[in-house]
Amino acid sequence: MPERSESDSRKLLRRLRDMLSVPGKGQDRLDQITHLIADSMKTEVCSIYLFRDPETLELCATEGLRKESVHQTRMKLGEGLVGRVARLGQPVNTANAPAEKGFRYMPETGEEIYSSFLGVPIQRVGEKLGVLVVQSKTARQFSEDEIYALDVVAMVLAEMTELGAFIGDDGAMKALHKQPVLFRGSSGQEGAAEGRVWLHEPRVVVTNPVADDPLTEIDRIRAAVGELRVSIDDLLEAEQLDKDQKQVLEAYRMFAHSRGWLRRMEEDIMRGLSAEAAVEKEQSAARSRMEQVPDQYLRERLQDLDDLSNRLLRILTGQGKDTGAEMPENPVLVARNIGPAELLDYGRKLKGVVLEEGSVGSHAAIVARALAIPLVINASRVTSEALNGDPILVDGDQGIVHLRPEETVARAFRDKIAMQAEAQKRYASLRDLPATTTCGTTIALHMNAGLMADLPSLEGSGADGVGLFRTELQFLIRSKMPQRAELARLYARVMDAAKGKRVAFRTLDIGSDKVLPYMKPPEEPNPAMGWRAVRVGLDKPGVMRMQVQALIRAAAGRPLTIMFPLITEFSEFQAARAHVLRELHRERSLGHPVPERIEIGAMLETPSLAYAPRAFFELTDFISVGGNDLKQFFFAADRENELVRRRYDTLNLSFLAFLEQIVARCAETGTPLSFCGEDAGRPIEALALAAIGFRALSMRPASVGPVKALLRRVNLSEARAVIDRARAEGAESARPLLMDWLATQSGT
């Protein structure tokens, strides 16, 4: 790279920085920038196009094109050469723009006399802000040095944008982290919350994108990379790392020792960027490549480079995870992802959680449900946009997040929260009343739990007991296998807190999306249908034996209820039940107290178990239909797949007919039956389940009130008749007719 071009690039960046340091209106600054760049690069035209919405670019400033086209010329993402740059996040360089495929002629700009075109994206760590363009009458290809120089200028423009350099009275350019943003994700846990952002890993804000002394910056980047390499080597020497963790760190080490990575950053610095801005430029390039790479393995490797860049930025700036900032009032946690133990550390102080990744069955979702915290998952790029302290609204019902909302949106949201609070007051008045319908049928309403923190909800919600206590959470939040005595103490405290009400302990349900940090999962093409739940317990009898012993000792003579997850055939239940009976015999022979009464049940989560021999229904003490898994297997719709998980209706008449078969088989043998899962906590679904014969439902604590309120107002015989009418009419779902019928019911 010639020294002259390096000096010219640094000179341009310094002129740009000096110009931006003078107070001015946003539009004036943009106009000055286009003039400065055109002058420095000896081109007739320089234009800045910015996103007005995620799909639309607008010409916001120009030197050389007609001024009247500013704020009038717009194009869609991917439209024309400018739209192509924005969509791909890559430069477009051509000597004959009109001849390029996809060229769009915009007569209002007067650009027909310009042949050469160079456009580069204005982006910061993957955030696409717009496109920077230079054009010339002379037909020529721009050189690599010119492309590089314009790319670096675009990088600095993006950095200055974050610092609010283009915000003036006219609001010509939207500043990052200043404007309202709507994120559409997925619901991980229902509920609504208003609060302030608390970033799990605060973003690094670069305040010095332009270098004064390139050699000093080179020394800084080399020292920081050296420190990064040492820290990774230290982590790799840790004895407690499993194979997967070591593989990730090995990938980190490979990138950290990459000569190409360091060389590119040093070249960026010699072009005029500071060390921090050079890191972010390479990080932005990695993000752009990530969006274009279809191969999952390569995407994960680019993700490693992205994470490594964040580590390097924290070293350079001294901005560690603990920035010293105080958690705001009503904090809403925002993170790319988070483990169950880390989320539990925050506890109930959080008003809500927003994640870029995650799934409805993830550890974080399970903990959020246990803590009754609204959760939105798959909120793409939220960590890039949010800053600590930003106002935020979390709509867990719709899977929507409003960041820095406008006041009209905030007022409407507060009205929604107030209405929900008023409804909760009405439900509280029903707390001590049974869920008895107008036809005299009483439905037992139980709650789901998994933490000690859930148990106070047992009394407050008015639930009749705990229909499902998830024991795997105590395994998931630890770095090593819990001890028997430790589990026994926990289970005893759960029984104590239940104050004599029935608690159904589900044995360890791991596998699929629930992976223990200290147990390497097998590589499976479809984990949801693989080695999980009771299958793990039967193949690793030591773990099952330890947990059953802990449960027996926790009972200390009190009644005990144990149920096994994902039983698919009679022999599995027989084998699992035999484990419990053996441990009962062993504890009795040791002189330890055994439960005065024990129930051993099964979760019916696969269609196969509905057709098990009659002997199974006679042997099991109770059956709990695990609605979440059963529905996904019935419809062949993965509940972790956002494309299909909401596609199929619980009130589909085929599914209801299948559930009626289970009700009938349990009635023949007098086997107690309940329905457990998300659908049990939705009032309309709960009504339908009660109408077809379920007399016990288990749900999250917050759902007990709404379900009880509806059940106490309806006649189940009439509801059943509506379902039968829908079937007779050949409907696919009973929902429309049930909704119409409910609308005619007094007080519903």
Side-chain angles (χ1 to χ4, degrees), residues 439-680:
C439 57
T441 304
T442 298
I443 308 298
L445 302 183
H446 298 104
M447 60 170 263
N448 299 332
L451 299 167
M452 277 300 300
D454 295 329
L455 272 300
S457 300
L458 182 55
E459 184 175 354
S461 66
D464 298 309
V466 178
L468 166 67
F469 190 90
R470 305 179 185 91
T471 61
E472 60 272 7
L473 285 180
Q474 309 311 317
F475 289 77
L476 289 169
I477 63 177
R478 286 167 168 77
S479 59
K480 60 182 180 179
M481 184 77 72
Q483 300 297 308
R484 179 181 60 191
E486 181 184 7
L487 289 178
R489 286 192 297 270
L490 170 73
Y491 300 150
R493 285 164 51 210
V494 171
M495 293 182 190
D496 293 342
K499 298 179 180 178
K501 290 187 176 181
R502 178 178 180 269
V503 179
F505 290 94
R506 182 180 69 186
T507 59
L508 191 58
D509 186 5
I510 58 170
S512 185
D513 57 302
K514 306 188 198 77
V515 179
L516 299 184
Y518 42 85
M519 183 183 293
K520 178 174 172 55
E523 293 185 7
E524 299 179 282
N526 191 343
M529 300 177 71
W531 194 61
R532 51 175 293 206
V534 76
R535 297 168 180 174
V536 178
L538 293 175
D539 288 350
K540 290 188 172 293
V543 177
M544 180 182 285
R545 176 183 176 185
M546 181 267 286
Q547 188 177 25
V548 170
Q549 288 175 353
L551 286 165
I552 293 172
R553 294 184 183 185
R558 292 174 289 188
L560 176 63
T561 301
I562 298 175
M563 64 179 177
F564 294 101
L566 205 74
I567 297 291
T568 57
E569 57 185 10
F570 186 24
S571 61
E572 287 178 337
F573 178 72
Q574 288 175 305
R577 183 174 180 272
H579 273 283
V580 178
L581 297 180
R582 277 196 298 271
E583 295 311 316
L584 279 173
H585 175 74
R586 181 177 180 276
E587 291 295 297
R588 190 179 290 112
S589 65
L590 292 172
H592 297 160
V594 296
E596 64 181 51
R597 184 179 71 259
I598 188 164
E599 294 178 286
I600 306 173
M603 294 201 75
L604 193 156
E605 300 174 270
T606 62
S608 64
L609 195 62
Y611 301 99
R614 180 185 176 94
F616 161 71
F617 291 89
E618 292 174 337
L619 183 63
T620 185
D621 292 319
F622 65 94
I623 289 174
S624 177
V625 171
N628 297 341
D629 266 323
L630 182 62
K631 191 165 69 171
Q632 83 164 339
F633 292 132
F634 185 86
F635 289 112
D638 184 355
R639 64 191 183 104
E640 302 298 332
N641 186 331
E642 292 300 320
L643 296 174
V644 298
R645 79 182 186 93
R646 296 184 182 276
R647 186 169 184 148
Y648 299 99
D649 190 357
T650 304
L651 301 191
N652 178 290
L653 287 161
S654 297
F655 188 56
L656 291 181
F658 177 66
L659 293 177
E660 285 177 304
Q661 292 184 45
I662 298 171
V663 171
R665 295 210 66 185
C666 287
E668 290 175 6
T669 55
T671 307
L673 175 67
S674 65
F675 189 100
C676 174
E678 294 175 8
D679 290 321

Side-chain angles (χ1 to χ4, degrees), residues 54 126-128 175-187 197 199 203 287 332-335 353-357 375-387 390-405 409 413:
E127 294 177 85
K128 295 179 178 179
L176 285 175
H177 319 304
K178 302 291 184 183
Q179 301 296 321
V181 186
L182 171 66
F183 297 94
R184 296 188 182 277
S186 305
S187 175
V197 168
L199 289 166
R203 297 178 64 256
R287 287 275 183 99
V332 172
L333 186 74
V334 175
V353 179
V354 180
L355 301 178
E356 280 196 9
E357 302 173 0
L375 168 67
V376 172
I377 57 177
N378 300 320
S380 179
R381 311 214 73 78
V382 67
T383 59
S384 299
E385 183 65 48
L387 291 178
D390 278 345
I392 188 169
L393 308 174
V394 182
D395 188 339
D397 302 325
Q398 303 296 321
I400 291 174
V401 177
H402 297 273
L403 184 65
R404 298 181 292 271
V409 174
F413 196 83

Side-chain angles (χ1 to χ4, degrees), residues 694-711:
F694 283 92
R695 294 297 175 257
L697 305 172
S698 190
M699 63 202 71
R700 66 189 184 101
S703 297
V704 173
V707 169
K708 184 182 291 187
L710 179 58
L711 290 176

Side-chain angles (χ1 to χ4, degrees), residues 712-738:
R712 286 178 57 83
R713 296 172 183 167
V714 297
N715 182 304
L716 291 184
S717 298
E718 294 178 10
R720 175 59 186 257
V722 172
I723 294 173
D724 290 340
R725 179 158 62 91
R727 185 177 286 120
E729 292 177 1
E732 185 170 80
S733 171
R735 189 177 300 277
L737 283 182
L738 267 180

Side-chain angles (χ1 to χ4, degrees), residues 121-139:
I122 302 173
Q123 60 186 1
R124 181 188 178 279
V125 195
E127 294 177 85
K128 295 179 178 179
L129 305 176
V131 177
L132 178 60
V133 175
V134 291
Q135 294 172 272
S136 294
K137 293 179 182 178
T138 305

